[in-house]
Amino acid sequence: MPYPLDAAAVRSWCGLALEALGRERERIDAINVYPVADGDTGTNLYLTLESAARAVEAAFDGHASAGTAPRLADAIGAMAHGALIGARGNSGTIVAQLLRGMTEVLAATDGSADALRRALRRAAASTYEAVAHPVEGTVLTVAGAAADAAERAAGGDAGAAEVARAAHEGARSALQETPGQLAVLGRAGVVDAGGCGLVTLLGALADVLSGEVSAVPVAVRADAPLPEPAGCGVAGRAAADGRGDPDGPAFEVIYLLEADDAAVAGLRARLDGLGDSLVVVGGDGLWNVHVHVDDAGAAVEAGIEAGRPYRIRITHFGGARTKEPEMTARAVVAVVPGTGLAGLCAQAGATPVPVRPGEPPASGELVQAIRQAHAREVMLLANDAELRHTAAAAAEEARAEGVRVALIPTRSAVQGLAALAVHEPGRSFDEDVVAMTAAAGATRYAELALAERQSWTMAGVCQAGDVLGLIDGDVAVIGSELTGTAMTVLDRMLSAGGEMVTLVLGAKAPDGLAGALEEYVRERHLAVDTVVYDGGQHAAPLLIGVE
């Protein structure tokens, strides 16, 4: 059944859109040829929506602590603000303005079909206003077509879901026409990358409002059965090679700016004379500035004259940045649940990124950890299936800064430990990637957790307080106490063979658990060695790895 356009819908929209852009990120990057063929549009859109989604979650958390429920205005305002402060690249900046335009309308309405129609029209108009020299065949055209289609649908008994679906279909149709509207797209045989991202965003909104997809939190499971975004098909493949037009500007400059409207008007004129691809979005004293220039210093100075620029980001289109000679050759960055594992990884020479349950790191935190590793080559261990898109986006951003990053496919901390154990900086980069990937892939993983409520699982119905044994991410055993359930899980995992059992105990694991399990493995499974690690605070009660 249709879902109302309210604060909960905005929250679900953020979660679903972020997951969809995570799936589409590499494909959108691959077709990115305008305005610069630097292959980063998909990554920029993902990072922009990640910031928006986290702002919405923060708004919900704030209201929950105050004992109130957020309104539509609170949620959509947080989404727009989060996108504004986290906007990346030309495409992300335009999408941030589009969300701001929707907010200007929806914040003062009840989320009706007519309000959504007007919001989409205002969004399209605001994107044209933000771009210094609008070009057809881009995301601007797609946004306008979505608004047109929404207007045609907003009549009679049409609800917000029908309007959103019409906008999505209108955007899809317009996207397919972009190669004939912009010569650079036609030559490459691709649709506009930014428009493709907008189609994905609108498709997520339509799915949420139509009720085809239930409420999706920001930290959505990576393997959840979500619908594939459609409408971004391409006729060929872009030749995006990470280099800009040799005759175009050398730098991309982005910064947040605190300034009044009058000063921003002068800034637009100044930056328009310095370069191209100028987009200035925002309002109410906070702006996001994006421009391509040859003189990056002059672009920043213009911001200083207008107000207070910060979070300044300058990217050279020519390729990798020169790294300092004291950098190490290779490092490992590992996401770890628990203080004990963080210390263990640090002892092994890795840079740990400790996390608390339910608080996954943002891509920016992973990028910062990669920078702190101060290496030319980095092996990134996400150690969580739900972090694959976040880690992939962080790796892509670090690569743009000149760091060679390999994302090792680890879905659990015990797989990360196995990969770290065979890491050898003296090998070639590719050989090290193969060895670490093989070690992770050869390790089955399990986790024991307590059920918080009654629910259906693959092993049957569990009750609150039951011990759940998850093998390779799925509930395989339901038990009443930890030790017995762990023994059953070990039997199932070792039935297919194994040479080494790794046990990681959390702070809440009962005394004697490690000794009981070691003895059990020794008696029941000959020639299988067992190693025990202290996971410490924030780790699950028990993690199991079988190599």
Side-chain angles (χ1 to χ4, degrees):
M1 59 181 293
Y3 201 70
L5 178 52
D6 55 13
V10 171
R11 187 186 199 184
S12 297
W13 179 24
C14 281
L16 186 59
L18 186 63
E19 174 65 17
L21 284 170
R23 290 197 306 270
E24 294 294 294
R25 182 186 62 79
E26 291 185 357
R27 188 156 68 97
I28 296 175
D29 280 348
I31 64 172
N32 170 209
V33 296
Y34 182 85
V36 176
D38 50 2
D40 67 355
T41 292
T43 298
N44 285 337
L45 287 170
Y46 179 86
L47 294 172
T48 301
L49 257 293
E50 181 185 53
S51 179
R54 288 185 176 274
V56 171
E57 287 302 302
F60 269 79
D61 290 344
H63 278 274
S65 62
T68 60
R71 300 169 298 129
L72 172 60
D74 300 321
I76 193 68
M79 185 178 183
H81 181 74
L84 176 67
I85 63 176
R88 300 296 184 92
N90 184 278
S91 54
T93 308
I94 291 174
V95 166
Q97 183 67 5
L98 184 144
L99 292 173
R100 180 177 176 82
M102 293 184 69
T103 299
E104 291 176 3
V105 175
L106 293 178
T109 70
D110 58 358
S112 65
D114 181 65
L116 179 57
R117 172 190 62 79
R118 290 186 287 110
L120 290 168
R121 173 55 65 197
R122 177 58 195 142
S126 67
T127 58
Y128 275 90
E129 295 166 2
V131 178
H133 302 285
V135 175
E136 295 304 324
T138 64
V139 62
L140 305 182
T141 306
V142 176
D148 291 341
E151 287 181 341
R152 291 192 295 269
D157 297 328
E162 288 81 5
V163 171
R165 183 62 66 193
H168 177 226
E169 294 299 331
R172 288 178 59 187
S173 297
L175 179 68
Q176 300 306 315
E177 301 300 321
T178 56
Q181 297 170 318
L182 193 57
V184 66
L185 300 179
R187 288 194 298 271
V190 298
V191 295
D192 178 66
C196 183
L198 179 56
V199 168
T200 302
L201 184 64
L202 292 174
L205 176 62
D207 287 340
V208 167
L209 294 183
S210 67
E212 295 178 14
V213 176
S214 59
V216 179
V218 172
V220 67
R221 281 181 58 89
D223 56 354
L226 300 172
E228 290 293 332
C232 295
V234 298
R237 192 169 182 84
D241 57 4
R243 298 187 297 271
D245 182 350
D247 298 324
F251 299 95
E252 177 186 59
V253 179
I254 304 174
Y255 51 79
L256 291 177
L257 177 71
E258 293 179 354
D260 58 35
D261 293 359
V264 170
L267 175 66
R268 289 180 192 269
R270 174 80 180 278
L271 293 178
D272 194 26
L274 289 175
D276 58 27
S277 297
L278 173 61
V279 184
V280 181
V281 304
D284 301 323
L286 181 62
W287 307 82
N288 190 303
V289 178
H290 171 280
V291 67
H292 295 172
V293 294
D294 280 320
D295 189 344
V300 175
E301 289 173 3
I304 294 174
E305 292 178 4
R308 186 179 79 87
Y310 60 103
R311 291 195 188 179
I312 300 169
R313 180 180 176 84
I314 300 173
T315 303
H316 184 240
F317 288 130
R321 299 175 181 176
T322 302
K323 291 296 176 181
E324 300 164 9
E326 68 270 24
M327 295 181 69
T328 59
R330 190 176 307 155
V332 177
V333 172
V335 179
V336 289
T339 52
L341 287 179
L344 181 66
C345 289
Q347 290 175 12
T351 299
V353 182
V355 296
R356 295 171 178 267
E359 298 180 13
S363 57
E365 294 176 64
L366 299 185
V367 173
Q368 186 60 29
I370 292 172
R371 291 172 183 149
Q372 290 174 349
H374 211 55
R376 296 182 179 87
E377 299 173 341
V378 171
M379 305 300 189
L380 179 57
L381 310 177
N383 294 337
D384 189 334
E386 296 181 12
L387 287 178
R388 61 172 182 164
H389 295 322
T390 300
E396 192 65 30
E397 185 172 3
R399 292 182 190 117
E401 298 180 5
V403 182
R404 190 179 186 188
V405 182
L407 180 57
I408 308 300
T410 53
R411 299 167 64 88
S412 168
V414 289
Q415 287 188 323
L417 290 175
L420 185 58
V422 301
H423 167 59
E424 178 50 65
R427 281 192 294 243
S428 72
F429 183 81
D430 291 337
E431 289 176 340
D432 207 20
V433 170
V434 170
M436 295 179 74
T437 300
T443 302
R444 297 191 68 193
Y445 61 95
E447 174 181 343
L448 268 68
L450 296 180
E452 297 180 355
R453 64 184 65 86
Q454 183 187 59
S455 61
W456 290 90
T457 75
M458 293 186 67
V461 179
C462 70
Q463 306 295 327
D466 282 349
V467 178
L468 306 180
L470 292 85
I471 299 178
D472 294 336
D474 294 319
V475 176
V477 179
I478 300 174
S480 59
E481 50 90 26
L482 197 65
T483 303
T485 305
M487 291 176 177
T488 302
V489 168
L490 282 167
D491 283 339
R492 292 200 181 188
M493 296 180 75
L494 289 169
S495 64
E499 299 176 356
M500 170 74 75
V501 170
T502 299
L503 304 175
V504 179
L505 277 67
K508 296 182 179 180
D511 295 338
L513 176 63
L517 295 181
E518 285 184 284
E519 182 178 356
Y520 185 79
V521 171
R522 187 166 52 250
E523 293 179 351
R524 295 288 297 270
H525 303 278
L526 301 178
V528 176
D529 294 325
T530 303
V531 61
V532 180
Y533 296 115
D534 178 15
Q537 192 67 25
H538 307 313
L542 179 65
L543 298 177
I544 301 174
V546 173
E547 300 176 47

